[in-house]
Amino acid sequence: MITQVSSSLYQQLINSDDVLISPSVTFEQRRKDAFERFKSIGFPSAKAEEWRYTNIQPLLNDTYQIDAHLPGRSVNLDVAKVDGLDAYRIVVVNGVFRKDLSDTIDESGVFVSSFNEAADEDVLKEHFAAHADKSDNPFVPLNTALAKDGFFVHIVGGNVVQKPIHIIHVGAADSQTFFQARNLIVLGKSAEAEIIETFINEQGSAKIFANTVTEIVVEENAKLEHYYLQQSESTGNYNNHTEVIQAKYSLYNNYNCTFPGASFVRNTINVRLIDADVESHLYGITLLSDSELADNHTIVDHLKPNCESYEWYKNILQDDSTAVFNGKIFVREDAQKTNAFQQNNNLLLNPNATINTKPQLEIFADDVKCSHGCTIGQFDDEAKFYLQARGIGEDQAKTLLVHAFAFDVTERFKNEVLKQHVNHLVELGLKHA
């Protein structure tokens, strides 16, 4: 049954015949099946539990141009620059991989390309729509059916990428535009990589609405450090779904950072620990202002024994902003000896700011060590007074206290350059009215 009340975007999409155009015969049936699934369920409404605190109806009621690819158009990437970071640069504009703006990676066993160009690769055929499409997020089948391009990263087993791979997602539009990117990251056995994704939109761009799906496979004994930096402007609206599959002895670390700018951000990160002796870490720092909304949904699914997960999200809210945290940990019957931790802390800097937090823990095994919780609070006036009494100005005192609040998360960053960059962005994003 279609769940949306009304949707101009829905009507535009179901009338699309792009699903018949597939970069690979292998994908054609999967795309058709996904399209039929999307048409049957439609976009979610606020009545759906997973979207209870995030009303996307205003976004869906708009009329968009669909997939404006802008081939050959130059884009300004200065906002995404990270001082001191030595990395390979990959650029995706409106969901399309731009080879002309991207670095060539000349390392043995490291393949980075357009999703479409890799359509005949066996690895891509094996994993496309094999993981994310098992979720109940209706934006995933929509993406599977109609996404035109994205990036493909394959690190062949045993290889360690020598520099971080910095993927810059750019939104650029002359009129309201909806686009989708489909991405796949596969790390073979004992491979290691560091991937940074930065989301920006071009200065002066019209409103964009991006729906991105990324499937990540971390095979046995592989290690992936994965950073998100959301630095878009107010015309940016993003729905990102990331599905992670981890095999035995693997490690996946995700650092999810959102800063003032984008009007709407919804990040869904699902991590499936499908084998024994797996380790996952999810860290989040969200700083909002004005009337922005950021919604972070996570699932950590422990399916096998002797695994460990550690999740810590912190929100700092200014003005009339709203944040949502919905974190679920599942410990299945076979997942004995699981060690799982989840925490969400929230700092409200304005009485008009709103947080909706829902940490959840479902345990079906009996020999585990698990905990979860959340806190909500305001500035510690005594601490601020203590700093001011020692000659520190009020604005600087507030900045120091916010850094101290965020420290539990930022200190976990493995990349020191990114740690300093994020601390700088936190300082830039703070208002001192």
Side-chain angles (χ1 to χ4, degrees):
M1 178 179 291
I2 298 171
T3 55
Q4 73 272 8
V5 177
S6 63
S7 168
S8 175
L9 181 59
Y10 177 81
Q11 293 301 327
Q12 284 184 266
L13 292 169
I14 63 170
N15 292 330
S16 172
D17 59 0
D18 286 351
V19 69
L20 303 178
I21 304 171
S22 177
S24 165
V25 174
T26 307
F27 298 164
E28 192 162 312
Q29 192 57 49
R30 295 184 204 178
R31 289 166 69 97
K32 287 181 178 178
D33 291 345
F35 197 44
E36 292 305 314
R37 184 181 171 204
F38 170 71
K39 286 196 293 183
S40 69
I41 58 179
F43 285 117
S45 73
K47 293 180 180 179
E49 182 62 25
E50 297 300 315
W51 296 84
R52 183 177 175 187
Y53 302 111
T54 303
N55 181 13
I56 60 169
Q57 204 62 45
L59 276 174
L60 303 179
N61 286 339
D62 279 340
T63 299
Y64 299 87
Q65 62 172 338
I66 307 295
D67 295 321
H69 289 160
L70 311 177
R73 174 169 166 173
S74 63
V75 290
N76 189 334
L77 305 175
D78 289 348
V79 175
K81 183 180 178 183
V82 180
D83 289 337
L85 180 68
D86 182 17
Y88 297 116
R89 187 181 74 181
I90 303 298
V91 179
V92 178
V93 178
N94 289 2
V96 174
F97 184 95
R98 285 287 297 274
K99 191 173 183 179
D100 58 317
L101 301 175
S102 302
D103 291 336
T104 299
I105 302 178
D106 189 20
E107 284 192 38
S108 176
V110 180
F111 299 96
V112 179
S113 72
S114 156
F115 193 91
N116 275 347
E117 288 181 355
D120 291 327
E121 295 286 338
D122 289 341
V123 171
L124 195 144
K125 290 178 182 176
E126 177 184 354
H127 294 292
F128 171 67
H131 313 295
D133 289 67
K134 293 178 181 176
S135 75
D136 57 2
N137 184 351
F139 281 94
V140 173
L142 171 63
N143 181 287
T144 298
L146 300 179
K148 294 288 182 61
D149 197 16
F151 65 81
F152 170 63
V153 176
H154 180 204
I155 315 300
V156 177
N159 288 276
V160 178
V161 187
Q162 297 305 305
K163 297 197 297 186
I165 299 172
H166 188 188
I167 299 165
I168 303 173
H169 299 266
V170 186
D174 297 325
S175 61
Q176 292 190 153
T177 297
F178 175 80
F179 60 83
Q180 305 187 89
R182 185 67 177 219
N183 312 310
L184 176 64
I185 300 170
V186 178
L187 271 69
K189 288 183 179 180
S190 302
E192 297 183 25
E194 182 177 346
I195 293 178
I196 305 156
E197 294 191 65
T198 299
F199 299 83
I200 63 172
N201 57 352
E202 203 170 41
Q203 188 172 19
S205 170
K207 180 178 179 178
I208 61 160
F209 183 15
N211 178 32
T212 301
V213 174
T214 303
E215 291 175 294
I216 299 175
V217 179
V218 189
E219 295 186 353
E220 184 176 329
N221 204 40
K223 298 177 182 176
L224 176 59
E225 300 286 332
H226 191 193
Y227 295 84
Y228 289 144
L229 301 176
Q230 174 54 255
Q231 296 179 244
S232 178
E233 295 185 354
S234 60
T235 53
N237 299 275
Y238 296 85
N239 181 71
N240 299 319
H241 184 107
T242 303
E243 197 80 18
V244 184
I245 301 298
Q246 287 189 251
K248 194 175 182 69
Y249 301 129
S250 66
L251 171 67
Y252 174 74
N253 288 339
N254 182 284
Y255 311 87
N256 179 4
C257 306
T258 299
F259 302 101
S263 295
F264 169 83
V265 178
R266 162 83 176 217
N267 292 311
T268 303
I269 304 173
N270 297 340
V271 183
R272 316 285 182 186
L273 288 63
I274 63 171
D275 216 334
D277 301 299
V278 172
E279 190 172 341
S280 310
H281 297 244
L282 305 179
Y283 301 109
I285 188 81
T286 298
L287 172 62
L288 303 179
S289 64
D290 301 323
S291 57
E292 297 155 3
L293 185 149
D295 179 347
N296 287 303
H297 267 59
T298 65
I299 291 177
V300 180
D301 196 355
H302 290 260
L303 295 157
K304 296 294 179 181
N306 300 313
C307 295
E308 180 174 337
S309 68
Y310 192 96
E311 180 175 12
W312 203 335
Y313 268 69
K314 292 204 172 190
N315 296 312
I316 305 158
L317 306 179
Q318 306 173 101
D319 305 325
D320 300 322
S321 60
T322 300
V324 180
F325 174 78
N326 190 322
K328 292 180 183 176
I329 296 175
F330 293 104
V331 182
R332 307 292 179 179
E333 189 173 4
D334 291 340
Q336 302 293 344
K337 306 292 183 184
T338 287
N339 189 358
F341 170 85
Q342 182 195 78
Q343 183 72 25
N344 171 231
N345 301 115
N346 302 282
L347 180 60
L348 276 63
L349 303 184
N350 189 298
N352 295 326
T354 302
I355 174 68
N356 295 294
T357 178
K358 192 177 178 183
Q360 299 173 78
L361 183 56
E362 295 188 24
I363 302 174
F364 302 96
D366 53 14
D367 186 10
V368 301
K369 185 178 180 181
C370 301
S371 64
H372 71 146
C374 67
T375 62
I376 301 173
Q378 294 81 38
F379 258 134
D380 184 340
D381 288 334
E382 287 190 11
K384 189 173 69 174
F385 176 78
Y386 176 86
L387 292 171
Q388 289 182 267
R390 278 147 184 81
I392 298 174
E394 182 177 4
D395 288 351
Q396 187 60 25
K398 288 180 178 178
T399 300
L400 287 172
L401 290 173
V402 169
H403 276 304
F405 174 77
F407 180 77
D408 294 321
V409 170
T410 56
E411 72 164 347
R412 312 298 173 124
F413 284 46
K414 300 293 184 184
N415 187 314
E416 286 295 326
V417 173
L418 285 178
K419 181 190 295 186
Q420 297 305 318
H421 182 66
V422 166
N423 282 328
H424 177 60
L425 292 177
V426 168
E427 194 165 334
L428 287 179
L430 283 175
K431 292 181 175 180
H432 297 303

